[in-house]
Amino acid sequence: MARRYDSRTTIFSPEGRLYQVEYAMEAIGHAGTCLGIMASDGILLATEKRNTNKLLDEVSYSEKIYRLYDDMACSVAGITADANVLTNELRLIAQRYILQYQESIPCEQLVSTLCDVKQAYTQFGGKRPFGVSILYMGWDKHYGFQLYQSDPSGNYGGWKATCIGNNSANAISLLKQEYKDDNTINLSAALDLSIKVLAKTLDMTKLTPDKVEIATLTRENNKTVMRILKDSEVEVHIKKYEEEEARLEAEKKKEADKKKAEKSDK
Amino acid sequence: MATSGMMTSGFSPVMANPGMSFQERSVEVSTGTTIMATEFDGGVIIGADSRTTTGAYIANRVTDKLTKVTDYIYCCRSGSAADTQAIADIVKYHINFQRMEMGEEPLVKTVAYIFKQLCYDYRDQLTAGIIVAGWDKRDGGQVYSIPISGMVQRMPFCTGGSGSTYIYGFVDSQFKPNQSKEDSLQFVSKAVSLAINRDGSSGGIIRLAAISKDGVERFTLTGDQLPKFYEDS
């Protein structure tokens, strides 16, 4: 039944849905996971690297993380070609603002301007929406560190922690449990949390540094600093996570053995 | 390459001002000026005076004509103040976009060629004499001269602006390639000082900057700190 109303973006279905937009979001659900966590002293984006083919030549800066301008970066989930068009546009929007107003564009305004473009593709023109969801991390003098998410519908929201892509629902429910909402989490703890969430939600046997890419955004000396963590640094956090897991396993086992012992005593 | 305070028609952006005569109101704001850049061993030194004029009125006596394009690449502006500011902003726009795409600092040559493209394409509408100087990791310190009509040429050192005509003899005789940073700073500050002494459109303080792999270091020479010569005693 939906078939009649899903071929054009410019038509509502009888239930009031835009099927093309929903199908676009479906496409993103199959893409590599991207997770973002905001800490008191910075923000991080952690992405699952899908292009692990040995024959692929080395990428210049990063596979899924794009620098937009001095104070903001983003990671994408979905159709890579669409993502390239959108990140190009984001970079131009930022530079146009600087040219006109002689100062950096506020984070939310950049997201909002791009989302207006994305929304246009859901209302007129006869073109399909962009099959990309984007996570933005940035700093500005108005609101400090900010994390935003935008999707093909042109909707966006500010988040403390969120996830897009494959298994994002699992990741979000895990984040809901683990993320302490009192603004005291620091970047190091956020990194540990991101490794934990990725390890639990990625459909792979073991988490290794070559399968994830983590970028952090912090402020140092009144300048925004963005870094992609080296494999060795990621390894440190993975080891910490594995040791913690092993410790928890051992404790659980001890508890279980104790209970068994108690039972058999009775 | 020399420009004097321009008498072309065009509205002065300076608002009604008690210091200006009636004629000055329709004269362009210009950086009739002295600008200079030189390569040294490890980077470049750039220098300029600080006078901006509207006719005979000095609109700004502490102008900064050394404009940042990137952390490692600056441009020295001479000619119309409005034209050169607008061009520099547009070049900044293009080069910042490219910096995001490439993920690394742009080459000095790239910046110089973007300046050239704008200055050449719009040469009938612009009055801009620009010197681009900076440091990049491929070719080290470089100076590119982009005179009025939009040609581009790399040179070991370069002077520009109306004041430069009075110091051709000095710089031609005193320049030595591969000087140290301190000697180059001396060379530039002496040259600009001499030009200020003879050119009415140049004056004020001397602004200097040294650009190398470690970034930019800025200096200002005011009043007594300006190099002195025979008649200055």
Side-chain angles (χ1 to χ4, degrees), chain A residues 68 70 88 91 95 102, chain B residues 89 93 96-97 99-101:
Chain A
L68 300 177
D70 287 336
N88 201 56
R91 286 170 173 156
Q95 289 307 318
Q102 293 297 305
Chain B
D89 285 345
Y93 162 90
N96 275 337
F97 178 77
R99 199 156 61 88
M100 288 304 136
E101 274 195 312

Side-chain angles (χ1 to χ4, degrees), chain A residues 60-61 67-70 72 87-89 91-92 95-99 102 223, chain B residues 68 71 86 88-103:
Chain A
S60 57
Y61 179 68
R67 234 190 128 160
L68 300 177
Y69 66 102
D70 287 336
M72 218 160 155
T87 48
N88 201 56
E89 189 56 34
R91 286 170 173 156
L92 285 172
Q95 289 307 318
R96 266 181 239 139
Y97 187 96
I98 291 172
L99 181 60
Q102 293 297 305
K223 278 189 102 172
Chain B
K68 173 173 137 155
D71 286 335
D89 285 345
I90 294 171
V91 172
K92 237 188 276 193
Y93 162 90
H94 283 297
I95 217 68
N96 275 337
F97 178 77
Q98 197 201 20
R99 199 156 61 88
M100 288 304 136
E101 274 195 312
M102 306 308 285

Side-chain angles (χ1 to χ4, degrees), chain A residues 213-226:
Chain A
E213 193 162 46
I214 305 187
T216 58
L217 184 144
T218 48
R219 289 281 292 178
E220 279 162 41
N221 292 333
N222 272 331
K223 278 189 102 172
T224 305
V225 175
M226 268 179 260

